[in-house]
Amino acid sequence: MKTLAQRIDDTLVNVADFPKPGVLYKDITPLFLNPDLSNDIIAEFVARAKGKIDVVCGIESRGFLYGIQIAHQLGVPFVLIRKAGKLPPPTIAQSYDLEYGSATIEINSNYIQPHDRVMIHDDVLATGGTAEASARLIEQCGAKVCQFSFIIQLDFLDGVSKLKSFTDDIVTMISY
Ligand SMILES: O=P(O)(O)OC[C@H]1O[C@H](OP(=O)(O)OP(=O)(O)O)[C@H](O)[C@@H]1O
Ligand SMILES: Nc1ncnc2[nH]cnc12
């Protein structure tokens, strides 16, 4: 019987030189073709977070796909972290660098309460810039990041080093 990591690895598609030369892009969208695999991934995230989390924040756009399902299976709210200009006020913003560019993200500050225990969820941890900027948004709201969760972690980009100061609880389904 294959492990969850093996099933994910068998399903992902590697795309060379996308969206820029030199980037090996991990296309996660084939996971969504497979309901059984997706349900097993979500169940694993839920099991690793149970009892620890008051709110799940998902990062646009691929962090929304399992993020809202994880939140609602945990029985907690789901809050969107979006690219700049997409959310109505009141918002707070953070800028950051990506593996292939730079960006600004925002959150609706009314939806995170001081002292909330927050999970930040996304599909891929690459350089960690997006997740770190997300964690700063949560701290600006007076809340605490208690867990990061990702489907994939790209070890060679060392994103974990940017996240450890927020929490040691970093859940990933597969590392490359
Ligand atoms: O760890 P980092 O170097 O910050 O990179 C990870 C981020 O990059 C990708 O998002 P992208 O900007 O491609 O947006 P998308 O999810 O809307 O495709 C991915 O979904 C993460 O959000
Ligand atoms: N190499 C990569 N593949 C897929 N998504 C990414 N986000 C950042 N780097 C990525």
Side-chain angles (χ1 to χ4, degrees), residues 19 25 59-63 83 96-100 103 122-132 150 157 159:
Y25 185 84
I59 301 175
E60 183 171 0
S61 61
R62 287 173 277 156
K83 288 164 187 167
Y96 62 101
D97 291 322
L98 279 164
E99 188 184 3
Y100 40 75
D122 205 352
D123 62 329
V124 178
L125 175 63
T127 65
T130 314
E132 179 187 26
F150 307 95
L157 292 170

Side-chain angles (χ1 to χ4, degrees), residues 28-140:
I28 61 149
T29 58
L31 298 175
F32 309 128
L33 304 177
N34 186 331
D36 289 339
L37 178 55
S38 290
N39 286 335
D40 289 349
I41 294 168
I42 292 161
E44 179 65 18
F45 280 126
V46 168
R48 304 278 288 271
K50 215 161 198 111
K52 298 185 189 174
I53 299 296
D54 301 312
V55 181
V56 175
C57 291
I59 301 175
E60 183 171 0
S61 61
R62 287 173 277 156
F64 295 166
L65 297 162
Y66 289 160
I68 191 165
Q69 300 186 70
I70 297 165
H72 291 174
Q73 289 197 20
L74 286 168
V76 304
F78 178 73
V79 177
L80 286 71
I81 294 176
R82 295 208 65 182
K83 288 164 187 167
K86 303 277 188 183
L87 289 172
T91 55
I92 53 174
Q94 280 283 334
S95 295
Y96 62 101
D97 291 322
L98 279 164
E99 188 184 3
Y100 40 75
S102 66
T104 300
I105 50 169
E106 296 179 338
I107 193 169
N108 184 317
S109 47
N110 280 349
Y111 296 159
I112 303 292
Q113 307 309 317
H115 311 302
D116 272 349
R117 298 169 303 162
V118 176
M119 175 206 287
I120 292 176
H121 173 78
D122 205 352
D123 62 329
V124 178
L125 175 63
T127 65
T130 314
E132 179 187 26
S134 301
R136 291 194 194 288
L137 288 177
I138 299 311
E139 291 197 337
Q140 278 186 63

